[in-house]
Amino acid sequence: MTDPNAIQPSELDQLPDRDPEETAEWQASLDAVAKAAGPHRAAYLMRRTLERAEGTGVALPKLLETDYVNSIPTGAEPAVPGDEALEARITAWNRWNAAAMVTRGSKYGVGGHIATFASAAWLYETGFNHFFRGKEGDGSGDQLYIQGHASPGIYARAFLDGRLSEQQLDNFRQEAGGNGLPSYPHPRRLPWLWEFPTVSMGLGPLSAIYQARFNRYLTNRGIKDVSNSHVWAFLGDGEMDEPESTAALALASREQLDNLTFVINCNLQRLDGPVRANFKIVQELEAQFRGAGWNVVKTLWGSAWDELFRLDTAGALVRRLREVPDAQVQTYQTRDAAYIRQDFFGADPALAEMAKLIGDDKIIECFHFSRGGHESRKVYAAYKAALEHKGAPTVILAQTVKGHTLGEGFASKNANHQMKKLTVDEFKAMRDRLDLPIKDSDFVDGQVPYGHPGADAPEVRYLQERRAALGGPAPARRVHPVPALPAPADKAFAAFDKGSGAQNVATTMAFVRLVKDLVRDKETGRRWVPIVPDEARTFGMESLFPSLGIYSPKGQTYEPVDRDQLMYYKEAKNGQILNEGITEAGSMADFIAASTAYATHGEAMIPFYIFYSMFGWQRTADQMWQLGDQLGRGFLVGATAGRTTLTGEGLQHADGHSPVIAATNPAALTYDPAFAYEVAAIVKEGLRRMYGEAAEGEDQNVFYYLTVYNEPLPQPAKPSAAGVDEGIVKGLYRFNTAESAGLTVPANAPRIQLLGSGTAIHWALTAQRMLAEEWGVAADVWSATSWTELRRDALEADAALLRGEERVPYVRRALQGAEGPVLAVSDYMRQVPDQIAQWVEQDWSSLGADGFGLSDTRDAARRHFGVDAPSIVAAALAQLARRGEVKATAVKEAREKYGL
């Protein structure tokens, strides 16, 4: 009978065998082992042979999974330097205070998480005591991405070393009155402690990869040598299901980011139950990371298991550990020795014999408590191996027990993520378990006390000495005194004030031309970081390729196919452009790293990330929120903007709503400029505010979102009227009147105010002419550069009035005295201009492109949505007719005349 698994002749043709006899001998040896010693022994020998081949550099596909045991054997573990007993005491105090803080806060109903830090305590403590470099030494220190649900443990450590007070711990999740602690790592809420927001699941690992990559970028470009900085990302095994968590694994290995370590807390539980109930998450993650080219270190079993592995002479224990699903491992956590003997050891006769040599206490110790992630020696060995590994990033898969040391009511319970407190009796049992000197009398009125050995206690001195040796406290965010960047020469901006004459220029191209001038500035040019997701040619940026270069840590190892062309594709190790491929999420992670370099590395960088406006906020708004939390600065540019401007691409490309989403982000200053000179004025103001001398009370920690269009049109000169520059920045100014536009209207003509933003102002200008020439109506045209900033100013004015202060919103002041009703139009849904409706004293109406986009010509799309010039004329006449200023039949006549 033919073996279906045998190599078929067609396969052999692809892999010619120069010595079939030798091959047959190897195969016969394997068959003999399998027959004599069983398939398990044959598999063992094959694994060891493949590992040997990999270790000696023989080119073979890597094993994607190894046995369910520690990567570093006990005998190969280095000794932990320092005082392990004191480190255990420090960890005990931190465990206690983390649980106490959440429990005390539970009476206010603010919630919190206890079980995550309980499982991960040693993962953090080992790093804080021996590895994580602070920011007060040389360089920038390390970058720590702390798992969000573990934040109580980080606060507890800051309390122990004197950086937080009892009052602040009692204000955990109670920030409104000041002096509180945010629920998770939020730099905007606690900017001296937290550097990186991580609790929006999946964004931590993605950002950590791009932060490590940006560190290399800074070094390779000669901005700052940060080669000694290491990025540590602490993650949950459940979190790895988020697509962003693993989206950039290949990038990290491709660029050999050995300055990056993932530490995945594999407590086998997510929020509702097991991560992989019927499978093994550690093995799955190992295969995933190995397949992506990462170095994998598994730290699964504690030292109590050493005796069991010594007894496993037949490999039965290792086989059983590989086959038991995670949910059953969790069950062992909660069952007695008799159950474990029957269910685990009873599954294999060899294991049953082994179990006879092991006492119940040893079984309980191994299956209930002893995990690699709970022992400093195991964790230290893994971290040391990670730092010593070169040429690839490392992931440490550390197995722990969720709720470890909190008692039987917590450990491995499916519901422990939602369990917010311990009872007094549970705390007393925990105290005894941790051997802490807390008396029963310290529990006053049933309130659990915080514990602290005293500012001069050996534990506190040791903690502070270790941190001093490593470069200061951690985590910590430091904004180093960075001098304001000098403003670029005015000529770069003023070049757009005169307009484009007869030449048609899209605002996308105007922005690119501006950047081309700014990157040549001797003072600040090198600090620009252009970021684009594989659409540079779409946005007319290919001219930047040869002059700035595309960043690649390998440089350019090939001759580009277009080398003989002026704008050839040039990659360079010191390249300035980050061209990320088709990944908005990766590009946004780049932007976050660059936009916060002023704090992370003390180097102000000016990133601009240009993207299809439809694919920015819609896809990566969560990262924009992360950007605001992380206090990032820079320019987001939504190109090919608008619902009707990008012809032919259709529904999923037609952006009619990004300004609405952007308006929800308090840190985003959203602009929809119509003209090139407006783009220049907004960028100039953005550079001043974010990187120059900010005005008193002005928040520098903002970012700008500009929508720009791919519709080439004549660019007018900037009006010479007073207040134009102020209006551009604040969000509204009068571009012209019917009279200043040279239109002839009767002296007593009805008048209307047309407000337009972005490309829509051109339709308004056409409508202005039609209203004058065909209907005897005078229209003034206003450029609304930012509906959102107008709204925010009005909201602040409302708040001021409630405080008893007299303040008029800018939009009301700007439109004061403007005759007639107001009609607003944009290439977005009506909700965008309607943001300001309640503060406009005149009669208000708006037009917009509501609904799904569609493929057609621009003219047809605008007619479909009712925003083209004839539609504006009809809407204007309707407003005037309601006021009795034009005849009631005018609207019907207009609709018939224009075929609406």
Side-chain angles (χ1 to χ4, degrees), residues 424 428 431 437-447 449:
V424 169
K428 289 179 178 178
R431 170 201 62 190
I438 297 173
K439 302 185 293 295
D440 285 355
S441 59
D442 293 333
F443 292 81
V444 179
D445 297 328
Q447 175 93 301

Short mmCIF file of all heavy atoms in Angstrom, two decimals, residues 424 428 431 437-447 449:
data_model
loop_
_atom_site.label_atom_id
_atom_site.label_comp_id
_atom_site.label_asym_id
_atom_site.label_seq_id
_atom_site.Cartn_x
_atom_site.Cartn_y
_atom_site.Cartn_z
N VAL A 424 -11.79 41.72 54.36
CA VAL A 424 -10.79 41.89 55.40
C VAL A 424 -10.12 40.57 55.71
O VAL A 424 -8.88 40.50 55.88
CB VAL A 424 -11.43 42.51 56.67
CG1 VAL A 424 -10.46 42.44 57.85
CG2 VAL A 424 -11.85 43.95 56.40
N LYS A 428 -6.16 39.60 55.41
CA LYS A 428 -5.35 39.07 56.52
C LYS A 428 -4.65 37.79 56.10
O LYS A 428 -3.48 37.56 56.46
CB LYS A 428 -6.24 38.84 57.73
CG LYS A 428 -6.71 40.14 58.39
CD LYS A 428 -7.61 39.87 59.59
CE LYS A 428 -8.02 41.19 60.25
NZ LYS A 428 -8.94 40.98 61.40
N ARG A 431 -1.83 38.87 53.93
CA ARG A 431 -0.75 39.39 54.78
C ARG A 431 0.12 38.26 55.31
O ARG A 431 1.36 38.34 55.27
CB ARG A 431 -1.36 40.17 55.94
CG ARG A 431 -0.38 40.56 57.03
CD ARG A 431 -1.11 40.86 58.33
NE ARG A 431 -1.83 39.70 58.83
CZ ARG A 431 -2.69 39.74 59.84
NH1 ARG A 431 -2.97 40.89 60.43
NH2 ARG A 431 -3.29 38.63 60.24
N PRO A 437 4.42 42.81 58.05
CA PRO A 437 4.18 43.22 59.45
C PRO A 437 3.01 44.20 59.57
O PRO A 437 3.18 45.36 59.95
CB PRO A 437 5.51 43.88 59.83
CG PRO A 437 6.01 44.46 58.56
CD PRO A 437 5.60 43.49 57.48
N ILE A 438 1.83 43.73 59.23
CA ILE A 438 0.63 44.54 59.36
C ILE A 438 -0.25 43.90 60.43
O ILE A 438 -0.59 42.71 60.35
CB ILE A 438 -0.12 44.63 58.02
CG1 ILE A 438 0.77 45.34 56.98
CG2 ILE A 438 -1.45 45.36 58.17
CD1 ILE A 438 0.20 45.33 55.58
N LYS A 439 -0.63 44.67 61.43
CA LYS A 439 -1.36 44.15 62.59
C LYS A 439 -2.86 44.15 62.32
O LYS A 439 -3.37 44.95 61.53
CB LYS A 439 -1.06 44.98 63.83
CG LYS A 439 0.42 45.04 64.19
CD LYS A 439 0.65 45.77 65.50
CE LYS A 439 0.31 47.25 65.41
NZ LYS A 439 1.21 47.98 64.50
N ASP A 440 -3.58 43.27 63.03
CA ASP A 440 -5.03 43.26 62.93
C ASP A 440 -5.62 44.61 63.32
O ASP A 440 -6.62 45.05 62.75
CB ASP A 440 -5.62 42.17 63.83
CG ASP A 440 -5.42 40.78 63.25
OD1 ASP A 440 -4.92 40.67 62.11
OD2 ASP A 440 -5.76 39.80 63.94
N SER A 441 -4.99 45.26 64.28
CA SER A 441 -5.50 46.55 64.76
C SER A 441 -5.36 47.66 63.71
O SER A 441 -5.96 48.73 63.86
CB SER A 441 -4.77 46.96 66.05
OG SER A 441 -3.36 47.07 65.82
N ASP A 442 -4.56 47.41 62.67
CA ASP A 442 -4.41 48.40 61.61
C ASP A 442 -5.65 48.48 60.72
O ASP A 442 -5.82 49.43 59.96
CB ASP A 442 -3.19 48.09 60.74
CG ASP A 442 -1.88 48.25 61.51
OD1 ASP A 442 -1.86 49.05 62.46
OD2 ASP A 442 -0.89 47.59 61.15
N PHE A 443 -6.49 47.46 60.81
CA PHE A 443 -7.74 47.45 60.03
C PHE A 443 -8.79 48.21 60.82
O PHE A 443 -9.49 47.65 61.67
CB PHE A 443 -8.21 46.02 59.76
CG PHE A 443 -7.31 45.24 58.83
CD1 PHE A 443 -6.15 44.64 59.29
CD2 PHE A 443 -7.65 45.10 57.49
CE1 PHE A 443 -5.34 43.91 58.44
CE2 PHE A 443 -6.84 44.38 56.63
CZ PHE A 443 -5.68 43.79 57.10
N VAL A 444 -8.91 49.50 60.58
CA VAL A 444 -9.82 50.35 61.35
C VAL A 444 -11.15 50.44 60.62
O VAL A 444 -11.20 50.81 59.43
CB VAL A 444 -9.21 51.75 61.54
CG1 VAL A 444 -10.18 52.65 62.31
CG2 VAL A 444 -7.87 51.66 62.25
N ASP A 445 -12.22 50.10 61.32
CA ASP A 445 -13.57 50.16 60.76
C ASP A 445 -13.68 49.37 59.46
O ASP A 445 -14.37 49.78 58.51
CB ASP A 445 -14.00 51.62 60.52
CG ASP A 445 -14.07 52.43 61.80
OD1 ASP A 445 -14.39 51.84 62.85
OD2 ASP A 445 -13.78 53.64 61.75
N GLY A 446 -12.98 48.25 59.44
CA GLY A 446 -13.06 47.38 58.26
C GLY A 446 -12.32 47.89 57.05
O GLY A 446 -12.44 47.32 55.95
N GLN A 447 -11.53 48.96 57.23
CA GLN A 447 -10.77 49.54 56.11
C GLN A 447 -9.39 48.92 56.05
O GLN A 447 -8.65 48.90 57.03
CB GLN A 447 -10.64 51.05 56.30
CG GLN A 447 -9.78 51.75 55.27
CD GLN A 447 -10.58 52.27 54.09
OE1 GLN A 447 -11.25 51.51 53.40
NE2 GLN A 447 -10.52 53.56 53.89
N PRO A 449 -5.56 48.81 55.47
CA PRO A 449 -4.55 49.87 55.51
C PRO A 449 -3.55 49.73 54.36
O PRO A 449 -3.35 48.64 53.82
CB PRO A 449 -3.85 49.64 56.84
CG PRO A 449 -3.92 48.14 57.01
CD PRO A 449 -5.26 47.72 56.42
#
